[in-house]
Structures are given as structure tokens and as C-alpha cells.
Amino acid sequence: MGNVPASVKHCLSYEQLVQEYPWLRRWLLEEKTASGYPKFVKIVEVGPRDGLQNEKEIVPTQVKIQLIDMLSRTGLSVIEATSFVSSKWVPQMADHSEVLRGIQRALNVQYPVLTPNMKGFQDAVEAGATEVAVFGSASETFSKKNINCSIDESMLRFQEVISSAKEHQIPVRGYVSCVLGCPHEGHIDPSKVAEVAKRLYQMGCYEISLGDTIGIGSPGSMIQMLQSVMKEVPTEALAVHCHDTYGQALPNILVALQMGVRVVDSAVAGLGGCPFAQGSSGNVSTEDVLYMLHGMGIETGVDLSRVIEAGDFICSALRRQTSSKVAQARNRTLECSTL
């Protein structure tokens, strides 16, 4: 195992690798630090899509492209590029095809896009998508308000997308929102989360991202939810997607790692919020996640300083301060050093 090159662990096309090397999935799962944490964690950067979709002012297409190109030079292996949704519902993503066609794709980096239905999937394929994602909800009310259909109806749509993706040999990632609470229903029973996650996994999603959409979860509720989901979906197929509304994102990620999760979604500069979940703050910042992981001796293959540079760029374009505590501290240190 010591002869396995770092590029294997850092390579984006994980699913292709485990098909060629069946031992790799178990090896990565079992490889841990002395403290019980994983030695390697994959970061899924969601800033260009989940981060920018909630902006009130339209972000210029070229700014989105430049942000993705900067992130492509950080060592990130997965960068969620855009969403092929109706511009009527999410105006910020109206330029999805232009963005996907305009980026400079880096070797060993995947650029998944969200495709809620067959129309979105077909448009994405035409624009050159090589990986897609579907997004469901553990909350019936949120599902109806977010994608205008019930959970069962959404599964029928996703099945069509996933089946077509298989025909095109395009991998599909699945999202489950409101896993720790819903802005409309409040508490969500972990069994509901497990049921939706199981259905997506059985349909063919290679990875299931569990989203605390309104950032209301705590380590206690995260543990309960994961315990339920892990009875239905293999741990190595799970990711966590935490918003930081109550300042609990990093503690929630930490307990997820303790329970065996190896994939973490985050957004550069802590961008984000959900247009259908009023009051939710941004995603946990990629910078803060990297600082925590690297401080624990966990490898990510990502250059923190370059991510901070990308965060500075997009915050300058949006005329706002970064939400990353790490970037804020770095900037204060630089200011003090120049006095």
C-alpha cells in the first residue's frame, strides 16, 4: 500500500479507478490517521454553482469562468460548475451552457452540473457535461417548493435522468437536501433521509451528498442522521454538505469524518445560501475546511493559498467580504505586516 502513488488518491475519476482497482475503495476507507480520522478527504467545490445561485445581482459569465479556472489550478479534483435549471426559477444559472463551454478544463478535474430533469440533462450533454447531479429532498414541502413536485414524483424524474446518463456513460451524483431540518417542516426524521438516500443510491448515483440546507444541525443530530443513513447506503458512498447558519458546519463535518465519511462539499469564500430556503447562510468555506483538515494532518491535494486567492477574486467581483474566517485572518495579518 505504501507504493500507491499520491496521484491515485488525488485523482478525480475515483469511480473509474475503483473499477480498475477493486481494492482501492476499501484501502482508502480503511486508511486512517493514528487518531482515527481518514488520511485523505476529497473536497467537492460547490461555490460556482451553489455559491453563486443565490446572488441578487447577475454575476457576469466571464467572472464565473475565471473563478472556475482559478479553482482548477488549486488541486481541487471536483468543481461543480453550474446548474441546468430554468432561468425562470434560478436566473443566476441562465448562462449555464456558456459557462460550461467557456472554462479551461484541467486534467484530472471533473466539472459536474446539476440536471433536475431530462430537459436539463439533454442541454447539459449538448454543452459538454461529463458528470451530472440530481437533487432531491427529505422534506415533502421543500421538494414541492424547490423542484415543484413531490418526493415520489422527483424520483420518477431522476430515474429517467439516471437511466439516460448510464446510456451516455455519464456518472451521476445525488443530493438530498434538508437532512437535518426544513424551513417549512422543521425537524426531519432521519429515517426519511435514509429512505431518499437509499432510493438515489439504488437508482445508480455513485455518491450521495447529504445537505444541511438551512445549517440548523448540530453534531448530535448529524450523528443520528448518519447512523440511520449508513444502514442503507455504504459509508464510502456518502458526502456531507453543510451550511454554516448556526456556526456548526465544522463541528458537523468533524463528527462525519469520525463516522467514516471521506467526502466534504464546501464553497470558496463561504459563498451560498439556497434561493428556496429563506434565511439560510452560505456553505461552509473551502478555506476553513482545508485549514482544519490540514491542521489534523489529513491530505486533500488542495493548495489553501490558491483557494484563498480565488476567494479574494470572487469577493472583489461581488464587492463583499469573504465569509471564510481563515481568509479574513490571513488578510488581517497581511495588513498588519504592511503597517
Side-chain angles (χ1 to χ4, degrees), residues 132-195:
V132 300
V134 294
F135 49 101
S137 175
S139 162
E140 196 70 57
T141 305
F142 190 80
S143 180
K144 291 176 180 177
K145 289 182 177 292
N146 187 18
I147 54 178
N148 202 32
C149 65
S150 68
I151 293 175
D152 285 341
E153 290 169 338
S154 72
M155 292 298 156
L156 292 175
R157 293 182 186 178
F158 300 156
Q159 183 63 76
E160 189 177 9
V161 171
I162 293 169
S163 297
S164 185
K166 287 180 179 177
E167 293 176 3
H168 288 80
Q169 296 185 321
I170 293 176
V172 183
R173 192 177 198 237
Y175 283 92
V176 183
S177 61
C178 297
V179 300
L180 298 179
C182 170
H184 312 291
E185 297 181 13
H187 173 74
I188 297 295
D189 193 289
S191 63
K192 290 185 177 180
V193 183
E195 179 185 355

Side-chain angles (χ1 to χ4, degrees), residues 14-316:
Y14 172 71
E15 290 303 309
Q16 294 177 349
L17 280 170
V18 295
Q19 288 177 10
E20 296 179 21
Y21 307 100
W23 50 266
L24 181 60
R25 187 192 297 272
R26 180 168 294 278
W27 177 73
L28 287 175
L29 180 63
E30 292 178 349
E31 189 181 30
K32 296 180 179 180
T33 63
S35 60
Y37 291 101
K39 286 189 175 181
F40 180 83
V41 168
K42 182 177 78 173
I43 301 296
V44 177
E45 172 59 54
V46 300
R49 194 281 302 177
D50 197 27
L52 296 180
Q53 70 176 4
N54 204 38
E55 291 298 316
K56 291 182 175 61
E57 296 183 15
I58 299 297
V59 179
T61 301
Q62 194 54 46
V63 170
K64 296 178 183 178
I65 291 173
Q66 187 170 344
L67 172 62
I68 295 172
D69 287 347
M70 292 182 73
L71 291 169
S72 295
R73 295 190 287 271
T74 64
L76 285 161
S77 60
V78 187
I79 303 170
E80 193 177 60
T82 186
S83 179
F84 282 76
V85 295
S86 169
S87 59
K88 174 184 176 182
W89 298 109
V90 187
Q92 279 290 3
M93 299 290 107
D95 58 354
H96 42 58
S97 295
E98 291 83 355
V99 169
L100 195 57
R101 290 192 177 106
I103 59 176
Q104 296 180 10
R105 301 192 187 211
L107 189 66
N108 295 332
V109 179
Q110 288 280 42
Y111 301 91
V113 299
L114 261 65
T115 55
N117 50 42
M118 278 303 297
K119 175 66 165 64
F121 175 76
Q122 291 165 351
D123 290 346
V125 171
E126 185 178 341
T130 56
E131 180 173 329
V132 300
V134 294
F135 49 101
S137 175
S139 162
E140 196 70 57
T141 305
F142 190 80
S143 180
K144 291 176 180 177
K145 289 182 177 292
N146 187 18
I147 54 178
N148 202 32
C149 65
S150 68
I151 293 175
D152 285 341
E153 290 169 338
S154 72
M155 292 298 156
L156 292 175
R157 293 182 186 178
F158 300 156
Q159 183 63 76
E160 189 177 9
V161 171
I162 293 169
S163 297
S164 185
K166 287 180 179 177
E167 293 176 3
H168 288 80
Q169 296 185 321
I170 293 176
V172 183
R173 192 177 198 237
Y175 283 92
V176 183
S177 61
C178 297
V179 300
L180 298 179
C182 170
H184 312 291
E185 297 181 13
H187 173 74
I188 297 295
D189 193 289
S191 63
K192 290 185 177 180
V193 183
E195 179 185 355
V196 174
K198 178 182 179 181
R199 293 173 73 175
L200 288 172
Y201 184 72
Q202 290 181 336
M203 284 182 190
C205 291
Y206 76 90
E207 192 169 87
I208 309 297
S209 177
L210 304 167
D212 183 11
T213 308
I214 56 176
I216 200 172
S218 66
S221 59
M222 174 65 82
I223 290 171
Q224 292 178 347
M225 183 273 294
L226 285 176
Q227 286 175 335
S228 182
V229 174
M230 287 175 178
K231 294 176 183 177
E232 305 294 347
V233 180
T235 303
E236 61 267 28
L238 296 176
V240 289
H241 181 118
C242 299
H243 288 236
D244 204 31
T245 312
Y246 284 78
Q248 298 293 293
L250 288 180
N252 287 342
I253 291 170
L254 195 62
V255 297
L257 296 178
Q258 291 171 341
M259 295 182 70
V261 174
R262 301 293 187 271
V263 184
V264 176
D265 296 1
S266 60
V268 61
L271 297 172
C274 176
F276 302 100
Q278 194 170 16
S280 65
S281 69
N283 295 279
V284 65
S285 78
T286 303
E287 299 93 320
D288 294 1
V289 172
L290 290 173
Y291 185 83
M292 180 183 77
L293 294 177
H294 294 172
M296 296 169 65
I298 297 174
E299 298 177 21
T300 64
V302 183
D303 186 328
L304 173 57
S305 62
R306 290 195 173 189
V307 175
I308 292 176
E309 290 175 4
D312 289 344
F313 163 76
I314 191 60
C315 288
S316 175

